[in-house]
């Protein structure tokens, strides 16, 4: 192996040299083949020492350097910069941690620590000798985004993206844009009129030249990768259009839970779901159903938290998040419209989180009465002539059963995911057990999916209020913008590579890659795997998955790791 | 060399900082433990493990990411498969599969790492040197 | 990029918690230039301090650290930690920010994060990153995952004891070292500022003690006695100085005139610098006033001798018996001169009979007594005239030298005596009598031998220009006080007459010098000590000698003096920042009175010149040192600086302010936790085993401050833990009617983790509504129930302490019997709520931002414009605008990034 | 058993003063804070919830409202500022009205017109009776017993007292029926529990345990003692009390009169001052009937003193006029406030405790008697 490696061993002002005999280490290393410079320094990170390294690289024509000092978490970037300044490819620098993982961990045994430091540096030298010049990938991106869904999330995303200079195509499955929120005449908090909000968004969308809205349209096919997708949509007249976009935002929203027939009396003309009740209350159609002196019973958690209203019910195990707030907001509205109507709210846990608590308090003040029913024993709704008898245990009375003679029963229904199997098929986005789209990580990457460039926002990812849906829509827009605004993305070069000679396509690698970075291609008469570098995250799970050992991860190649093991074990570098 | 030699495969983002923290907190563990950091524990080739054991390491420890892995939601399962296959190969080679251990080490799991090392060391000591 | 000379950015983000970091990274990725300002020494906010996070139980550290590192290394993000925004001004469509970069006192570039400083530092302070569950040191790395991983030294100024000392002797420093058992280090620290520790430990009037903050509690620390303890110990083990001469010897020669404290001090520091120093002493022995003015019962001579060795061992030669008559002449053979000839010339009363036998001045009497050359007094009656310390010394010395009766005559009242109170007390205890409001009119003799003093009664007369009422004689009140010996001690002045023609001298005989550099009118000739100030304290002379040495060295090395180079101390800390003082009642230290100083019995005292005070024992000294309140936090002991391998400690660092031009501003200042001591019923701060949820999270984190989850009172593992939800939330009695949104879930999380950490423990959660509303939260809650965690619906009304530190939780079982239940637990966790962090709310430019009733920043339109505030270009991200859990915070921060991005690009469009 | 909710209950009790009733979110802080709730039946949270939900039968059978003495600690600790103490007070008013078979209590509590109308009617009745039946008006001296013969007045007092007692008794029986329910109660228990009734009637001793209300309790006890004493004197010993002879100052008749008058003047003033200042939790809310109660007491004392002053000053016409006014103030007290108004709680409180004791004794007897029946 030819190569000229320089090794720089740091005293760290005693933090290393007090427990490791650095001079001895230097001696041991200087004899290794390929090592042309071996030196110790008081502080490798100091300006003077950095300059020394640069000088060494230039004077000796080094093609690899090893710095043995503290944890790479502290100075990896420093020394990559040093290499770059000296004209050496930054990836030909190897960092060896002889402080946190050597001198500090073995303070009682100087000989052992010294011996270990030698071994670690030897492995570093082995790796450096086999290192290659790598370049960060640059993926060109198109400054355009496809937004699927024209509800409040989709529309708001589109506007934000457009304001950031990206062109946007919105595809809405329904004929009418606006989604669920448009039907809400009085939204909480603040009592916004959903129609007004959506209409103003729509008129802004219409006014923007770089936004195109297709209604009654559906996505049928997706090709390409992050930064450069080709998406085919079928528009209302049946023809197809192909869009070239850099990213995709899925803002498909939710459906209100549809109770099973008979679930809490559902089907009875005086049993309505919350969205319909709100429409009745605010929709200007009048409320012929109610008059002063009547009683309304609200039943919470219908379709959520596993509350089974009847045998056939298929509730989700999750909490639908928005319903408690919506119900107490409705209570306030009802008290406003019908001050003479009595309201009984049968709830499980009142989840008016954050500032929504104020709404709960207001509903109480307005006279709404709250009874708590046990999750495993939900209320029963029994028709009784014109009225409905709602029988429920009230845990706040020690589980005593009470009976409400109601003139109207409102089922506070939760959110369920929309039927999106077509989209899931096209975009390959994962769906969670609850049926909503799954993000990569709820905290680190809450709007990203494992498919690079495909984002999930709004209530399609999980139940959300309008406000939260918009926040997530904008967060998704921000991610699109950070991907597309510069016109390119730069990626770490540690990606997997396939040795086409060895590969005999079996598909194992494709199975383990969650990012869809591996695909099957035909090459020189056989089927082989190909890595899409732009999609490869460099995790390397495909490496052991390959039965032929045909995959290597740049920077962590088989030869490098084996050489390192040999070097650690005591062999030469 | 003092004590059984252990090769640790750590992960750059998660378990390596945990091992660093052990040193930074001046917790002692055998100096015969040596670490090679990789991006993700699911990318370890079983053959590396066999290679290490054949070249003189007494044991191999995989400090996995567990649920915190940023690369793979199912990192633990994938790494588990690597371990399974490696142990199979070890059995074929006549090596005690107990010489390969895996545990999730998070970025602050300094204590856990040290106790794993001590325990593994004791196990390997009892099992006796190789070759 | 710069604008009008100051750096320009597209956006400034204030607060580098998870929201700030997320926004910074997203905006940086979009290609905007971001300035991220964090008031703490590390980024990461509160999230990095958590153990694991719900509902996935991933490790908070593991998901935070990559973001923290990314923020630090992002090419588009510039990070300022330990920095505070002080002013925001609107300008030209953007903003001008003034940011104060607080001094870390650690050079960030050279600090390697090794933590050696922390191990050496003797000052423990509550670790706020562990929510006071543990202590860290005045200098510390905030927490193991800190970014940047650099130490920070907490200094609130200069401790009053140090600030008050004329010589800047680091009393706080050596006290802290004594407390830590580092006695020799304490001694060496003293030598940095004053080379006569023995003398000072006996005879210093200790102005430091007068300023000690503890005086407001039970009394000041006995600082001088602590010094004596450390000096005695050191001298016992080091009969000869261990200090070796300077590494580099210089050729320049310096003459020092006078071997008193000023001269000795100057000589010592000049010699340490390598100069050739010669002291000229007119008297027989070195020491000046220390030897000839201070009685041995206050300053044993062997201590003085040992102190002198500190100076002579450096090669300083003391030529005794050589009186310098001409500075000009001296200057011919020396490169510089330090004149410290003292103030020896007695002030004479100028009355009849003062030349008689038996009338002596104190400066004749004392030296001769000390040398045994004065005739023994053999029961004679001694009258001392004067009210200063010299008068008291004379009286007490006379008593020990065989006087039968000693009377002090003073022309004013006792309160006005310039002598220190305790000196007067000591004299009175020993039997000296004091005659107030009496002045000598003439001395009466038998022949030339004095037999009495004719004294006249005095009374306060009209005030003089200083406002003090001059005593005037009462006519006809003369009486004769018999006396065998009269000692005059009415004042001393410098005898500078020989040099009057050479250098400028004031009318009162003091030498005129530049007060900063101590240089006289003759270049190269410096002066200090009593010759400059008139009779003063030893420590004042030491201070001047120290300063003169510095400028003499400067003059000789650089050829000029630069007053700006003299060390400058930070001002003392504000009173309110000192633990136990000011409004802040909490953190009050235990009440410990000052150590009692033992003295030898009075009757034995007057029989000899033996030292009156007895030394402190080691226990007493460490105990006394432990009373120190660490006023300025950092004690300036210098230990960190000594051990730092890279020399990164820099006490001379000062805060700096820098202005930045930014186009937009994001506030991501986060939250503060509700202070549960406001909810008195829960006993937080009163019962040790009532802790906050944040403390519990720290106990559960792998980087926890104790080896496991333990309860504070006895360190035992708790077996029956209660969580009290809504502590400080949904509660109008504490003016927070809102729900804090995170408490239910983090409590469920902690309960689950506790079952992991303490498998046998019982965990009960007292709640009203479990708000498990987010993705996966309900499932997480159900899982907790399945694990056997008890959820009891009922808001806890009060917590009482029972036996063994256990706690009785009183609540109504609202879902069961409806009865009042008193449940016993051994640890109670208060799930405290979230309130906005208001630390920059008052800053001009930030003040104008609208806030809601709980002072969270109000979002202009929560539904369609998240993050936009009432001010154009100003956005709010994360919990600064309301309680949020981590996923919602990250989403909100992302949304704000889009808002900022759109704003910046819109603005650009408009401009172009 | 399933109970039907009645939305009207909440509205009703709100009309009786429970303005913040619906703010309660059932956290239970009030109950856990209540010093009287630690043992035995717990309140107020459960009662509040019954009121919110509207379970009339349960409420009528609950003795808990009578166990509360309104120290107000529940209200200060309530995280929603729902004033549970005031709700309990209102519940008592509502219960008084519900037990009252005549329906007059309800009118008094919910209508100021009715309240003052009835008071005025009672007063008018007195004036009318005097106008028709008064004796000769002697003007040369004060001859009150001539103007208003003591036996006639005494007879009227007896009639009024009988009226009040019969109303109270009937309503107490209704209360007993509700609280005891249909379960069999041992007759012996009624006897055994009697001391509970009397001790509490005269001392209201449970109040002492209630928070820091010691002072309130003493003042209240004084007031009660004074007017009960007065009523006893007037009904049974009027001939001793109402004399034309002016006794010397130290005569027991005058001393007793002065003591009663002083207490009945001063204590209502103190209470009214508290209600104006709202310095204590118990005084923070004032129902109109609370004012009526205090004002009437004060007026009774004041007019009584006036009669006395005029009499000893030898002013016959003034004395007669004052006497009529005094009785015109007394009558509403005896005819309205005592049987229908706020005063009834003096009886209901100890009676509720008595009924609880009866239930307890019965239960104990049932348990003790079991081995025999088994």
């Amino acid at each position: 192996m030819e190569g000229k490696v320089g090794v720089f061993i740091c005293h760290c002002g005693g933090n290393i040299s007090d427990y490791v005999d650095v001079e001895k280490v230097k001696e041991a290393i200087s004899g290794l083949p390929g090592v042309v410079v071996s030196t110790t320094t008081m502080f490798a990170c100091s300006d003077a020492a950095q300059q020394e390294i640069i000088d060494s690289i230039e004077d000796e024509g080094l093609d690899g350097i090893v710095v043995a000092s503290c944890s790479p978490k502290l100075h990896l970037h420093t020394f990559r910069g040093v290499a770059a300044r000296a004209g050496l490819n930054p990836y030909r620098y190897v960092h060896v941690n002889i402080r946190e993982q050597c001198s500090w961990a073995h303070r009682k045994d100087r000989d052992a620590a010294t011996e270990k430091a030698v071994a670690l540096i030897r492995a570093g030298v082995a790796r450096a000798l086999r290192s290659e010049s790598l370049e960060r990938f640059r993926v060109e991106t198109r400054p355009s985004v496809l937004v699927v869904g024209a509800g409040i999330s989709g529309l708001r995303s589109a506007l934000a993206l457009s304001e950031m200079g990206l062109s946007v195509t919105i595809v809405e499955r329904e004929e009418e844009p606006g989604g669920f929120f448009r039907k809400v005449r009085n939204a909480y908090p603040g009592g916004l009129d959903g129609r007004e909000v959506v209409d103003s968004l729509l008129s802004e969308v219409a006014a923007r030249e770089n936004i195109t809205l297709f209604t009654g349209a559906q996505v049928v096919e997706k090709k390409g990768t992050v930064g450069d997708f080709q998406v085919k949509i079928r528009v209302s007249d049946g023809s197809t259009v192909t869009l070239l976009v850099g990213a995709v935002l899925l803002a498909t929203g939710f459906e209100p839970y549809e109770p099973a027939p008979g679930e809490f009396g559902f089907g009875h003309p005086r049993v309505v779901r919350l969205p319909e009740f709100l429409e009745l209350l605010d929709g200007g159609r009048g409320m012929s159903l109610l008059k002063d002196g009547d009683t309304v019973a609200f039943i919470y958690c219908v379709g959520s938290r596993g509350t089974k209203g009847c045998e056939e019910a298929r509730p989700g195990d999750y909490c639908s998040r928005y319903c408690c707030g919506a119900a107490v907001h409705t209570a306030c509205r009802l008290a406003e419209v019908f001050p003479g109507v009595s309201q009984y709210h049968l709830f499980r846990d009142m989840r008016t989180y954050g500032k929504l608590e104020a709404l709960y308090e207001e509903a109480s003040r307005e006279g709404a009465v709250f009874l708590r029913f046990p999750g495993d024993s939900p209320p029963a709704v029994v028709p009784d002539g014109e009225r409905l008898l709602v029988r429920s245990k009230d845990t706040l009375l020690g589980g005593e059963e009470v009976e409400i003679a109601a003139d109207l029963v409102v089922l506070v229904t939760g959110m369920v995911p929309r039927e999106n199997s077509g989209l899931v098929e096209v975009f390959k986005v994962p769906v969670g057990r609850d049926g909503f789209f799954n993000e990569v990580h709820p905290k680190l990457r809450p709007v990203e999916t494992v498919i690079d460039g495909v984002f999930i926002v709004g209530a399609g990812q999980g139940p959300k209020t309008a406000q939260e849906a918009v926040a997530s829509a904008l967060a998704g827009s921000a991610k699109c913008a950070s991907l597309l605004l510069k016109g390119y993305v730069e990626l770490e070069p540690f990606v997997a590579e396939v040795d086409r000679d060895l590969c005999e396509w079996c598909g194992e690698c494709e199975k383990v890659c969650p990012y869809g970075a591996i695909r099957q291609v035909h090459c020189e008469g056989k089927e082989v795997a190909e890595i899409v570098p732009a999609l490869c995250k460099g995790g390397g799970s495909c490496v052991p998955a390959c039965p032929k050992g045909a995959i290597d991860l740049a920077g962590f190649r088989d030869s490098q790791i084996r050489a390192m093991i040999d070097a650690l074990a005591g062999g030469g570098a | 060399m003092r004590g059984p030699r252990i090769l640790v495969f750590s992960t750059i983002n998660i378990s390596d900082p945990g091992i660093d923290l052990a040193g930074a907190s001046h917790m002692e563990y055998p100096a015969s433990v040596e670490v090679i950091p990789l991006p993700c524990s699911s990318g370890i080739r079983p053959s590396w493990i066999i290679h290490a054991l054949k070249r003189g390491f007494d044991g191999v420890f995989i400090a996995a990411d567990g649920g915190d892995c940023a690369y793979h939601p199912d990192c633990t399962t994938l790494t588990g498969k690597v371990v399974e296959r490696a142990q199979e190969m070890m059995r074929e080679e006549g090596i005690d599969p107990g010489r390969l251990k895996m545990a999730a080490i998070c970025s602050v799991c300094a204590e856990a790492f040290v106790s794993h090392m001590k325990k593994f060391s004791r196990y390997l000591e009892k099992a006796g040197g190789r070759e | 990029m710069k604008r009008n000379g100051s750096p320009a950015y597209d956006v400034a983000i204030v607060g580098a918690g998870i929201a700030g970091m997320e926004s910074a990274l997203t905006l940086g990725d979009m290609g905007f230039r971001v300035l991220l300002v964090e008031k703490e020494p590390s980024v990461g906010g509160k999230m990095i301090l958590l153990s694991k996070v719900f509902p996935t139980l991933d490790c908070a550290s593991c998901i935070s650290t990559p973001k923290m590192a990314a923020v630090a290394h992002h090419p588009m993000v510039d990070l300022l930690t330990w920095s505070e925004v002080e002013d925001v001004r609107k300008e030209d469509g953007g903003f001008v920010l003034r940011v104060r970069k607080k001094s870390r006192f650690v050079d960030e570039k050279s600090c390697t994060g090794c933590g050696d400083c922390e191990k050496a530092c003797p000052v423990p302070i509550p670790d706020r990153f562990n929510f006071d569950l543990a202590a860290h040191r005045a200098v510390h790395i905030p927490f193991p995952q800190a970014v940047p991983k650099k130490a920070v030294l907490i200094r609130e100024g200069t401790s009053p004891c140090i600030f008050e000392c004329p010589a800047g002797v680091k009393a706080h420093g050596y006290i802290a070292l004594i407390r830590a058992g580092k006695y020799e280090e304490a001694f060496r620290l003293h030598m940095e500022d004053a080379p006569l520790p023995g003398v000072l430990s006996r005879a210093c009037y200790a102005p430091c003690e007068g300023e000690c903050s503890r005086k407001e509690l039970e009394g000041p620390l006995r600082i001088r006695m602590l010094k004596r303890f450390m000096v005695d110990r050191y001298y016992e083990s080091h009969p000869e100085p261990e200090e070796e001469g300077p590494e580099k010897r210089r050729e320049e020669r310096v003459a020092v005139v006078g071997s008193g404290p000023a001269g000795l001090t100057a000589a010592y520091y000049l010699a340490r610098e390598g100069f050739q120093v010669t002291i000229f002493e007119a008297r027989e022995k070195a020491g000046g006033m220390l030897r000839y003015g201070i009685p041995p019962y206050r300053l044993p001579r062997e201590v003085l001798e040992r102190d002198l060795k500190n100076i002579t061992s450096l090669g300083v030669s003391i030529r005794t018996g050589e009186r310098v008559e001409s500075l000009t002449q001296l200057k011919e053979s020396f490169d510089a001169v330090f004149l410290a000839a003292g103030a020896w010339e007695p002030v004479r009363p100028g009355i009849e009979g003062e030349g008689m036998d038996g009338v002596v001045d104190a400066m004749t009497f004392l030296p001769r007594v000390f040398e045994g050359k004065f005739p023994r007094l053999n029961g004679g009656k001694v009258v001392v005239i004067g009210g200063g310390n010299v008068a008291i010394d004379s009286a007490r010395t006379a008593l020990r030298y065989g006087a039968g009766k000693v009377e002090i005559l003073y022309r004013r009242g006792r309160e006005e005596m310039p002598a220190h109170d305790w000196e007067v007390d000591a004299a009175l205890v020993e039997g000296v009598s004091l005659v107030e409001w009496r002045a000598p009119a003439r001395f009466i003799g038998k022949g030339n031998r004095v037999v009495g003093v004719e004294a006249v009664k005095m009374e306060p007369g009209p005030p003089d220009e200083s406002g003090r009422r001059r005593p005037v004689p009462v006519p006809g009140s003369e009486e004769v006080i018999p006396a065998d010996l009269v000692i005059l001690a009415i004042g001393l002045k410098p005898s500078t007459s020989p040099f009057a023609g050479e250098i400028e001298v004031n009318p009162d005989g003091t030498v005129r010098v530049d007060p900063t550099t101590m240089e006289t009118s003759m270049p190269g000739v410096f002066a200090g000590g009593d010759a400059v100030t008139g009779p003063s304290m030893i420590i004042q002379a030491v201070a001047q000698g120290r300063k003169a040495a510095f400028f003499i060295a400067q003059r000789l090395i650089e050829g000029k003096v630069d007053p700006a180079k003299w060390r400058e101390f930070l001002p003392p800390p504000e009173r309110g920042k000192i633990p136990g003082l000011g409004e802040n009642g909490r953190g009050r230290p235990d009440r410990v009175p000052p150590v009692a100083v033992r003295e030898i019995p009075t009757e034995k005292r007057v029989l000899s010149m033996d030292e009156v005070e007895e030394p402190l024992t080691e226990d007493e000294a460490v105990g006394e040192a432990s009373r120190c309140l660490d006023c300025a936090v950092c004690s300036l002991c210098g230990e960190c600086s000594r051990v730092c391998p890279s020399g990164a400690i820099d006490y001379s660092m000062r805060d700096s302010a820098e202005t930045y031009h930014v186009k937009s501003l994001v506030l991501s200042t986060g939250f503060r936790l509700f202070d549960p001591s406001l909810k008195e019923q829960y006993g937080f701060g009163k019962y040790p085993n009532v802790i906050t949820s944040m403390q519990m999270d720290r106990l559960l984190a792998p980087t926890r401050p104790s080896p496991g989850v333990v309860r504070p009172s006895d360190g035992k593992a708790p077996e029956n833990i209660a969580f009290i939800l809504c502590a400080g939330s949904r509660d109008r009695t504490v003016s927070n009617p809102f729900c804090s949104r995170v408490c239910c879930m983090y409590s469920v999380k902690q309960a689950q983790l506790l079952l992991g950490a303490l498998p046998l423990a019982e965990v009960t959660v007292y709640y009203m509504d479990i708000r498990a509303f987010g993705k996966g939260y309900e499932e997480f809650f159900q899982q907790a129930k399945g694990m056997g965690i008890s959820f009891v619906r009922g808001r806890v009304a009060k917590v009482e302490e029972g036996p063994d530190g256990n706690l009785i939780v009183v609540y109504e079982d609202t879902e069961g019997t409806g009865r009042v239940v008193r449940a016993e637990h051994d640890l109670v966790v208060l799930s405290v709520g979230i309130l906005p962090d208001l630390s920059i709310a008052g800053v001009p430019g930030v003040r104008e931002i609208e806030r809601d009733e709980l002072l969270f920043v109000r979002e202009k339109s929560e539904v369609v414009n998240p993050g936009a505030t009432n001010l154009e270009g100003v956005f709010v991200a994360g919990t600064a605008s309301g309680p949020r859990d981590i996923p919602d915070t990250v989403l909100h921060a992302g949304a704000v990034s889009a808002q900022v991005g759109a704003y910046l690009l819109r603005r650009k469009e408009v401009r172009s | 058993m399933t109970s039907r909710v009645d939305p009207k209950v909440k509205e009703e009790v709100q009309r009786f003063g429970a303005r913040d009733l619906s703010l309660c979110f059932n956290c239970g802080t009030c109950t856990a804070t209540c010093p009287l709730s630690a043992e035995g039946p717990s309140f107020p949270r459960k009662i509040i919830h019954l009121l919110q939900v509207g379970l009339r039968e349960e409420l009528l059978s609950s003795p808990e409202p009578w166990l509360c003495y309104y120290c107000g600690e529940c209200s200060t600790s309530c995280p929603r500022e729902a004033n549970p103490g005031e709700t309990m007070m209102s519940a008592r008013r509502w219960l008084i009205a519900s037990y009252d078979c005549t329906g007059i209590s309800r009118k008094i509590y919910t209508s100021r017109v009715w309240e003052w109308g009835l008071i005025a009617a009672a007063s008018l009745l007195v004036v009318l009776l005097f106008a028709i039946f008064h004796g000769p008006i002697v003007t040369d001296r004060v001859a009150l017993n001539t103007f208003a013969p003591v036996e006639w007045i005494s007879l009227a007092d007896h009639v009024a007292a009988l009226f009040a007692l019969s109303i109270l008794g009937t309503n107490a029986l209704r209360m007993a029926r509700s609280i005891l329910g249909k379960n069999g109660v041992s007759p012996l228990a009624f006897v055994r529990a009697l001391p509970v009734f009397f001790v509490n009637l005269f001392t209201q001793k449970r109040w002492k345990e209630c928070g820091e209300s010691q002072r309130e309790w003493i003042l209240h006890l004084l007031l009660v003692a004074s007017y009960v004493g007065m009523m006893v004197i007037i009904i049974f010993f009027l001939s001793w009390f109402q004399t034309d002879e002016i006794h010397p100052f130290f005569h027991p008749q005058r001393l007793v009169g002065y003591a009663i008058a002083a207490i009945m003047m001063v204590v209502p003033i103190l209470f009214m001052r508290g209600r104006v200042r709202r310095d204590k939790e118990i005084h923070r809310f004032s129902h109109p009937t609370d004012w009526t109660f205090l004002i009437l007491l004060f007026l009774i004392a004041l007019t009584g003193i006036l009669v006395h002053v005029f009499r000893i000053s030898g002013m016959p016409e003034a004395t007669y006029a004052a006497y009529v006014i005094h009785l015109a103030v007394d009558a509403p007290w005896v005819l309205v406030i005592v049987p229908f108004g706020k005063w009834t709680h003096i009886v209901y409180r100890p009676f509720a405790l008595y009924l609880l004791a009866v239930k307890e004794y019965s239960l104990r007897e049932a348990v003790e008697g079991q081995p025999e029946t088994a």
Side-chain angles (χ1 to χ4, degrees), chain C residues 196-215:
Chain C
L196 302 166
V199 167
L200 292 168
S201 73
R202 304 320 210 267
C204 183
Y205 292 128
C208 47
E209 292 186 13
E211 284 305 306
C212 175
S213 300
R214 192 105 198 189
K215 73 174 183 229

Side-chain angles (χ1 to χ4, degrees), chain A residues 472-489:
Chain A
S472 109
L474 289 181
S477 312
K479 286 290 164 214
C480 284
S482 61
L483 192 66
L484 308 178
L485 267 187
K486 282 188 294 185
Y488 62 91
V489 264

Side-chain angles (χ1 to χ4, degrees), chain C residues 58-202:
Chain C
D58 32 17
C59 147
S61 170
C62 297
I63 54 182
S64 296
T65 41
K67 284 220 194 270
M68 290 161 73
V71 149
H73 293 124
H74 199 290
M76 299 303 283
V77 180
D78 285 345
L79 175 62
L80 295 175
T81 52
W82 203 229
S83 297
E84 277 172 19
V85 174
E86 286 190 323
D87 185 58
V88 177
R89 199 154 37 82
K90 233 178 138 58
E91 191 186 281
D92 198 16
F95 304 92
V96 181
L97 255 61
R98 194 176 72 235
V99 179
R100 186 165 63 94
K101 190 142 179 41
K102 294 181 277 186
S103 30
R104 255 178 197 269
F105 302 102
V106 173
D107 177 36
E108 276 192 55
K109 233 174 134 343
S110 38
C111 174
T112 66
C114 69
D116 284 354
C117 49
E118 189 163 4
K119 275 171 243 128
C121 177
V123 179
I125 56 173
D127 178 355
R128 59 210 169 91
F129 299 101
N130 269 314
F131 296 87
D132 299 356
L133 284 172
H136 58 189
R137 301 284 153 170
V139 61
H140 57 265
I141 294 168
F143 44 88
Q145 309 89 334
V147 170
K149 193 165 181 176
K150 308 287 176 185
V152 58
L153 171 60
I154 309 292
R155 270 179 88 185
E156 299 285 2
T158 303
S159 291
C161 51
I162 303 178
F163 194 76
E164 188 61 19
C165 180
V169 172
K170 300 189 181 69
H172 185 191
Y174 65 73
I175 291 168
L177 290 168
I178 290 172
R179 182 172 61 193
K182 295 178 165 182
Y183 310 130
E184 300 211 350
E185 286 86 344
F187 179 88
R188 285 185 207 115
L189 175 68
H190 194 286
M191 293 300 282
E192 296 302 312
D193 300 295
L196 302 166
V199 167
L200 292 168
S201 73
R202 304 320 210 267

